[in-house]
Amino acid sequence: MKPRTRARSIALQALFEIDITGHPAGEVWQQRVEEAELDDTLANFAHQIIFGVLPLTVVLDEFIAIHAPEWPLDQVATIDRNIIRIALWEFAVYQKTPLKVAINEAVELAKSYGSESTPRFVNGVLGSLANHQNEIIQSLQRYKPAD
C-alpha cells in the first residue's frame, strides 16, 4: 500500500470506529497512530483527514444526499459512507488532492474495506459529486483549512 493510501486507510479506520462506537476522536486517533507507526508527515495527513471530516460530516452528507439522491445515506454502509466523505473532503475542502486522485484512492479503499459492490458504488457516487465539483467547492469554501 502506498504511504498516503496507508494514511487514508488509518483515517478511514478511525472515522469508522468513531462513527460506530462514538469513542472520543482524540483517543481513537492516538491509538491508530501508535498502532500504525506512521511517520510524522503521514500521521499529520491522517490527522487532517480525521479532524477535517468529523466536524463536517453533516455538511458532507447533505452534499452527498443532494447530488446522489438515488443512494439514501441512511441505507449506505458505514464504511462506504466514510470512504465517500473522505474523498469529498479531500477534493472539495482540502483541495490539495486532485479530483481523479481522490476518486481513485476512494475506490482503492473500497476494494480493501468494502463489499464486492462497494468500489462501483463509491465510484458512482463520487462521479455524481464530481459533476458538481465547482459548485460544491464554492459552497464549502469557508471550511477550507489554512495552508
Side-chain angles (χ1 to χ4, degrees), residues 38-70:
L38 295 174
D39 70 36
D40 289 345
T41 303
L42 294 176
N44 183 50
F45 182 53
H47 184 274
Q48 286 181 294
I49 294 170
I50 295 164
F51 292 95
V53 169
L54 276 176
L56 299 179
T57 55
V58 172
V59 175
L60 296 172
D61 288 354
E62 286 174 4
F63 279 101
I64 296 165
I66 290 168
H67 297 292
E70 55 278 3

mmCIF file of all heavy atoms in Angstrom, residues 38-70:
data_model
loop_
_atom_site.group_PDB
_atom_site.id
_atom_site.type_symbol
_atom_site.label_atom_id
_atom_site.label_comp_id
_atom_site.label_asym_id
_atom_site.label_seq_id
_atom_site.Cartn_x
_atom_site.Cartn_y
_atom_site.Cartn_z
ATOM 1 N N LEU A 38 3.057 5.418 11.881
ATOM 2 C CA LEU A 38 3.204 6.318 10.735
ATOM 3 C C LEU A 38 4.289 7.350 11.019
ATOM 4 O O LEU A 38 4.428 7.797 12.157
ATOM 5 C CB LEU A 38 1.893 7.068 10.468
ATOM 6 C CG LEU A 38 0.683 6.254 10.039
ATOM 7 C CD1 LEU A 38 -0.542 7.152 9.960
ATOM 8 C CD2 LEU A 38 0.922 5.572 8.714
ATOM 9 N N ASP A 39 5.018 7.740 9.978
ATOM 10 C CA ASP A 39 5.959 8.837 10.183
ATOM 11 C C ASP A 39 5.162 10.123 10.371
ATOM 12 O O ASP A 39 3.956 10.166 10.157
ATOM 13 C CB ASP A 39 6.986 8.936 9.043
ATOM 14 C CG ASP A 39 6.401 9.404 7.713
ATOM 15 O OD1 ASP A 39 5.486 10.249 7.707
ATOM 16 O OD2 ASP A 39 6.883 8.933 6.670
ATOM 17 N N ASP A 40 5.831 11.183 10.789
ATOM 18 C CA ASP A 40 5.137 12.429 11.148
ATOM 19 C C ASP A 40 4.311 13.008 10.005
ATOM 20 O O ASP A 40 3.209 13.503 10.217
ATOM 21 C CB ASP A 40 6.143 13.469 11.657
ATOM 22 C CG ASP A 40 6.694 13.102 13.031
ATOM 23 O OD1 ASP A 40 6.114 12.222 13.702
ATOM 24 O OD2 ASP A 40 7.713 13.698 13.424
ATOM 25 N N THR A 41 4.846 12.962 8.795
ATOM 26 C CA THR A 41 4.142 13.522 7.646
ATOM 27 C C THR A 41 2.840 12.773 7.380
ATOM 28 O O THR A 41 1.781 13.383 7.169
ATOM 29 C CB THR A 41 5.028 13.485 6.382
ATOM 30 O OG1 THR A 41 6.231 14.188 6.662
ATOM 31 C CG2 THR A 41 4.338 14.092 5.184
ATOM 32 N N LEU A 42 2.903 11.450 7.403
ATOM 33 C CA LEU A 42 1.699 10.645 7.151
ATOM 34 C C LEU A 42 0.730 10.724 8.316
ATOM 35 O O LEU A 42 -0.487 10.763 8.120
ATOM 36 C CB LEU A 42 2.086 9.195 6.871
ATOM 37 C CG LEU A 42 2.881 8.982 5.588
ATOM 38 C CD1 LEU A 42 3.303 7.534 5.452
ATOM 39 C CD2 LEU A 42 2.093 9.430 4.366
ATOM 40 N N ALA A 43 1.258 10.767 9.530
ATOM 41 C CA ALA A 43 0.386 10.916 10.703
ATOM 42 C C ALA A 43 -0.355 12.248 10.628
ATOM 43 O O ALA A 43 -1.550 12.320 10.926
ATOM 44 C CB ALA A 43 1.210 10.821 11.983
ATOM 45 N N ASN A 44 0.333 13.285 10.203
ATOM 46 C CA ASN A 44 -0.294 14.601 10.052
ATOM 47 C C ASN A 44 -1.387 14.571 8.986
ATOM 48 O O ASN A 44 -2.459 15.144 9.160
ATOM 49 C CB ASN A 44 0.755 15.662 9.730
ATOM 50 C CG ASN A 44 0.142 17.043 9.641
ATOM 51 O OD1 ASN A 44 -0.591 17.475 10.520
ATOM 52 N ND2 ASN A 44 0.427 17.739 8.551
ATOM 53 N N PHE A 45 -1.120 13.883 7.879
ATOM 54 C CA PHE A 45 -2.113 13.775 6.814
ATOM 55 C C PHE A 45 -3.357 13.032 7.315
ATOM 56 O O PHE A 45 -4.494 13.482 7.099
ATOM 57 C CB PHE A 45 -1.514 13.073 5.589
ATOM 58 C CG PHE A 45 -2.444 12.954 4.416
ATOM 59 C CD1 PHE A 45 -3.083 14.064 3.893
ATOM 60 C CD2 PHE A 45 -2.672 11.727 3.823
ATOM 61 C CE1 PHE A 45 -3.948 13.963 2.804
ATOM 62 C CE2 PHE A 45 -3.530 11.605 2.736
ATOM 63 C CZ PHE A 45 -4.158 12.714 2.226
ATOM 64 N N ALA A 46 -3.164 11.924 8.018
ATOM 65 C CA ALA A 46 -4.299 11.179 8.572
ATOM 66 C C ALA A 46 -5.071 12.052 9.565
ATOM 67 O O ALA A 46 -6.304 12.058 9.575
ATOM 68 C CB ALA A 46 -3.813 9.896 9.243
ATOM 69 N N HIS A 47 -4.347 12.810 10.375
ATOM 70 C CA HIS A 47 -4.965 13.714 11.347
ATOM 71 C C HIS A 47 -5.811 14.768 10.635
ATOM 72 O O HIS A 47 -6.948 15.055 11.040
ATOM 73 C CB HIS A 47 -3.883 14.383 12.197
ATOM 74 C CG HIS A 47 -4.415 15.261 13.280
ATOM 75 N ND1 HIS A 47 -4.741 16.585 13.067
ATOM 76 C CD2 HIS A 47 -4.697 15.001 14.576
ATOM 77 C CE1 HIS A 47 -5.192 17.104 14.197
ATOM 78 N NE2 HIS A 47 -5.174 16.167 15.132
ATOM 79 N N GLN A 48 -5.260 15.347 9.559
ATOM 80 C CA GLN A 48 -6.007 16.350 8.796
ATOM 81 C C GLN A 48 -7.308 15.769 8.258
ATOM 82 O O GLN A 48 -8.345 16.438 8.275
ATOM 83 C CB GLN A 48 -5.163 16.881 7.633
ATOM 84 C CG GLN A 48 -4.069 17.821 8.047
ATOM 85 C CD GLN A 48 -3.299 18.306 6.828
ATOM 86 O OE1 GLN A 48 -2.631 17.529 6.158
ATOM 87 N NE2 GLN A 48 -3.408 19.585 6.560
ATOM 88 N N ILE A 49 -7.243 14.543 7.765
ATOM 89 C CA ILE A 49 -8.454 13.907 7.230
ATOM 90 C C ILE A 49 -9.480 13.714 8.347
ATOM 91 O O ILE A 49 -10.629 14.147 8.229
ATOM 92 C CB ILE A 49 -8.132 12.554 6.553
ATOM 93 C CG1 ILE A 49 -7.284 12.764 5.302
ATOM 94 C CG2 ILE A 49 -9.425 11.810 6.209
ATOM 95 C CD1 ILE A 49 -6.718 11.484 4.715
ATOM 96 N N ILE A 50 -9.057 13.079 9.421
ATOM 97 C CA ILE A 50 -9.993 12.757 10.508
ATOM 98 C C ILE A 50 -10.642 14.021 11.060
ATOM 99 O O ILE A 50 -11.868 14.125 11.147
ATOM 100 C CB ILE A 50 -9.276 11.998 11.644
ATOM 101 C CG1 ILE A 50 -8.799 10.630 11.151
ATOM 102 C CG2 ILE A 50 -10.189 11.847 12.863
ATOM 103 C CD1 ILE A 50 -7.778 9.971 12.053
ATOM 104 N N PHE A 51 -9.801 14.994 11.415
ATOM 105 C CA PHE A 51 -10.323 16.186 12.073
ATOM 106 C C PHE A 51 -10.802 17.242 11.078
ATOM 107 O O PHE A 51 -11.337 18.268 11.475
ATOM 108 C CB PHE A 51 -9.296 16.728 13.071
ATOM 109 C CG PHE A 51 -9.118 15.779 14.229
ATOM 110 C CD1 PHE A 51 -8.100 14.842 14.221
ATOM 111 C CD2 PHE A 51 -10.014 15.784 15.280
ATOM 112 C CE1 PHE A 51 -7.960 13.930 15.267
ATOM 113 C CE2 PHE A 51 -9.888 14.888 16.326
ATOM 114 C CZ PHE A 51 -8.856 13.946 16.320
ATOM 115 N N GLY A 52 -10.636 16.947 9.781
ATOM 116 C CA GLY A 52 -11.261 17.760 8.744
ATOM 117 C C GLY A 52 -12.661 17.244 8.438
ATOM 118 O O GLY A 52 -13.604 18.013 8.280
ATOM 119 N N VAL A 53 -12.796 15.917 8.379
ATOM 120 C CA VAL A 53 -14.081 15.297 8.058
ATOM 121 C C VAL A 53 -15.059 15.365 9.234
ATOM 122 O O VAL A 53 -16.235 15.699 9.045
ATOM 123 C CB VAL A 53 -13.879 13.823 7.610
ATOM 124 C CG1 VAL A 53 -15.204 13.078 7.531
ATOM 125 C CG2 VAL A 53 -13.148 13.771 6.265
ATOM 126 N N LEU A 54 -14.590 15.055 10.434
ATOM 127 C CA LEU A 54 -15.504 14.945 11.586
ATOM 128 C C LEU A 54 -16.422 16.148 11.796
ATOM 129 O O LEU A 54 -17.637 15.957 11.917
ATOM 130 C CB LEU A 54 -14.721 14.658 12.865
ATOM 131 C CG LEU A 54 -14.393 13.196 13.112
ATOM 132 C CD1 LEU A 54 -13.535 13.053 14.357
ATOM 133 C CD2 LEU A 54 -15.646 12.356 13.218
ATOM 134 N N PRO A 55 -15.893 17.361 11.840
ATOM 135 C CA PRO A 55 -16.815 18.473 12.093
ATOM 136 C C PRO A 55 -17.734 18.791 10.912
ATOM 137 O O PRO A 55 -18.684 19.556 11.062
ATOM 138 C CB PRO A 55 -15.886 19.654 12.394
ATOM 139 C CG PRO A 55 -14.583 19.292 11.793
ATOM 140 C CD PRO A 55 -14.512 17.796 11.804
ATOM 141 N N LEU A 56 -17.458 18.192 9.767
ATOM 142 C CA LEU A 56 -18.244 18.482 8.558
ATOM 143 C C LEU A 56 -19.119 17.324 8.112
ATOM 144 O O LEU A 56 -19.695 17.382 7.026
ATOM 145 C CB LEU A 56 -17.302 18.861 7.406
ATOM 146 C CG LEU A 56 -16.434 20.089 7.607
ATOM 147 C CD1 LEU A 56 -15.536 20.309 6.395
ATOM 148 C CD2 LEU A 56 -17.295 21.308 7.864
ATOM 149 N N THR A 57 -19.239 16.275 8.925
ATOM 150 C CA THR A 57 -19.982 15.101 8.456
ATOM 151 C C THR A 57 -21.406 15.454 8.025
ATOM 152 O O THR A 57 -21.862 14.971 6.991
ATOM 153 C CB THR A 57 -20.015 13.968 9.511
ATOM 154 O OG1 THR A 57 -20.525 14.476 10.734
ATOM 155 C CG2 THR A 57 -18.658 13.354 9.717
ATOM 156 N N VAL A 58 -22.082 16.285 8.765
ATOM 157 C CA VAL A 58 -23.460 16.652 8.406
ATOM 158 C C VAL A 58 -23.473 17.410 7.082
ATOM 159 O O VAL A 58 -24.293 17.131 6.196
ATOM 160 C CB VAL A 58 -24.127 17.478 9.528
ATOM 161 C CG1 VAL A 58 -25.468 18.029 9.085
ATOM 162 C CG2 VAL A 58 -24.282 16.637 10.788
ATOM 163 N N VAL A 59 -22.553 18.344 6.920
ATOM 164 C CA VAL A 59 -22.464 19.141 5.693
ATOM 165 C C VAL A 59 -22.100 18.252 4.501
ATOM 166 O O VAL A 59 -22.721 18.339 3.434
ATOM 167 C CB VAL A 59 -21.434 20.284 5.860
ATOM 168 C CG1 VAL A 59 -21.237 21.041 4.562
ATOM 169 C CG2 VAL A 59 -21.852 21.223 6.969
ATOM 170 N N LEU A 60 -21.092 17.400 4.682
ATOM 171 C CA LEU A 60 -20.684 16.493 3.599
ATOM 172 C C LEU A 60 -21.837 15.564 3.230
ATOM 173 O O LEU A 60 -22.110 15.340 2.044
ATOM 174 C CB LEU A 60 -19.455 15.686 4.013
ATOM 175 C CG LEU A 60 -18.176 16.489 4.270
ATOM 176 C CD1 LEU A 60 -17.087 15.589 4.854
ATOM 177 C CD2 LEU A 60 -17.686 17.192 3.023
ATOM 178 N N ASP A 61 -22.520 15.037 4.248
ATOM 179 C CA ASP A 61 -23.653 14.144 3.986
ATOM 180 C C ASP A 61 -24.778 14.853 3.223
ATOM 181 O O ASP A 61 -25.439 14.243 2.388
ATOM 182 C CB ASP A 61 -24.191 13.567 5.292
ATOM 183 C CG ASP A 61 -23.256 12.525 5.910
ATOM 184 O OD1 ASP A 61 -22.238 12.167 5.270
ATOM 185 O OD2 ASP A 61 -23.546 12.083 7.034
ATOM 186 N N GLU A 62 -24.979 16.129 3.503
ATOM 187 C CA GLU A 62 -26.000 16.888 2.775
ATOM 188 C C GLU A 62 -25.656 16.966 1.285
ATOM 189 O O GLU A 62 -26.534 16.797 0.434
ATOM 190 C CB GLU A 62 -26.144 18.293 3.353
ATOM 191 C CG GLU A 62 -26.855 18.325 4.679
ATOM 192 C CD GLU A 62 -26.867 19.703 5.338
ATOM 193 O OE1 GLU A 62 -26.381 20.690 4.722
ATOM 194 O OE2 GLU A 62 -27.355 19.797 6.471
ATOM 195 N N PHE A 63 -24.385 17.216 0.975
ATOM 196 C CA PHE A 63 -23.972 17.265 -0.436
ATOM 197 C C PHE A 63 -24.135 15.909 -1.099
ATOM 198 O O PHE A 63 -24.565 15.822 -2.245
ATOM 199 C CB PHE A 63 -22.537 17.775 -0.583
ATOM 200 C CG PHE A 63 -22.456 19.262 -0.519
ATOM 201 C CD1 PHE A 63 -22.062 19.894 0.646
ATOM 202 C CD2 PHE A 63 -22.795 20.037 -1.608
ATOM 203 C CE1 PHE A 63 -22.016 21.273 0.726
ATOM 204 C CE2 PHE A 63 -22.754 21.411 -1.554
ATOM 205 C CZ PHE A 63 -22.355 22.039 -0.380
ATOM 206 N N ILE A 64 -23.789 14.862 -0.378
ATOM 207 C CA ILE A 64 -23.940 13.517 -0.928
ATOM 208 C C ILE A 64 -25.426 13.250 -1.201
ATOM 209 O O ILE A 64 -25.792 12.760 -2.273
ATOM 210 C CB ILE A 64 -23.346 12.459 0.026
ATOM 211 C CG1 ILE A 64 -21.830 12.669 0.160
ATOM 212 C CG2 ILE A 64 -23.651 11.048 -0.473
ATOM 213 C CD1 ILE A 64 -21.189 11.925 1.322
ATOM 214 N N ALA A 65 -26.286 13.607 -0.253
ATOM 215 C CA ALA A 65 -27.729 13.381 -0.414
ATOM 216 C C ALA A 65 -28.306 14.197 -1.572
ATOM 217 O O ALA A 65 -29.145 13.702 -2.329
ATOM 218 C CB ALA A 65 -28.454 13.719 0.887
ATOM 219 N N ILE A 66 -27.850 15.433 -1.729
ATOM 220 C CA ILE A 66 -28.358 16.307 -2.792
ATOM 221 C C ILE A 66 -27.911 15.831 -4.169
ATOM 222 O O ILE A 66 -28.701 15.770 -5.111
ATOM 223 C CB ILE A 66 -27.895 17.764 -2.570
ATOM 224 C CG1 ILE A 66 -28.606 18.359 -1.358
ATOM 225 C CG2 ILE A 66 -28.130 18.620 -3.821
ATOM 226 C CD1 ILE A 66 -28.004 19.675 -0.879
ATOM 227 N N HIS A 67 -26.627 15.490 -4.286
ATOM 228 C CA HIS A 67 -26.065 15.188 -5.606
ATOM 229 C C HIS A 67 -26.045 13.702 -5.951
ATOM 230 O O HIS A 67 -25.670 13.344 -7.068
ATOM 231 C CB HIS A 67 -24.668 15.789 -5.719
ATOM 232 C CG HIS A 67 -24.693 17.286 -5.621
ATOM 233 N ND1 HIS A 67 -25.256 18.091 -6.585
ATOM 234 C CD2 HIS A 67 -24.261 18.120 -4.661
ATOM 235 C CE1 HIS A 67 -25.156 19.351 -6.220
ATOM 236 N NE2 HIS A 67 -24.557 19.403 -5.052
ATOM 237 N N ALA A 68 -26.428 12.880 -5.023
ATOM 238 C CA ALA A 68 -26.530 11.449 -5.295
ATOM 239 C C ALA A 68 -27.793 10.912 -4.611
ATOM 240 O O ALA A 68 -27.724 10.014 -3.776
ATOM 241 C CB ALA A 68 -25.274 10.737 -4.800
ATOM 242 N N PRO A 69 -28.963 11.478 -4.959
ATOM 243 C CA PRO A 69 -30.201 11.137 -4.238
ATOM 244 C C PRO A 69 -30.648 9.689 -4.426
ATOM 245 O O PRO A 69 -31.437 9.185 -3.633
ATOM 246 C CB PRO A 69 -31.224 12.108 -4.827
ATOM 247 C CG PRO A 69 -30.701 12.446 -6.171
ATOM 248 C CD PRO A 69 -29.201 12.419 -6.041
ATOM 249 N N GLU A 70 -30.148 9.027 -5.452
ATOM 250 C CA GLU A 70 -30.565 7.645 -5.664
ATOM 251 C C GLU A 70 -29.947 6.690 -4.638
ATOM 252 O O GLU A 70 -30.273 5.516 -4.600
ATOM 253 C CB GLU A 70 -30.264 7.182 -7.100
ATOM 254 C CG GLU A 70 -28.840 7.333 -7.559
ATOM 255 C CD GLU A 70 -28.486 8.745 -8.051
ATOM 256 O OE1 GLU A 70 -29.317 9.669 -7.995
ATOM 257 O OE2 GLU A 70 -27.342 8.924 -8.477
#
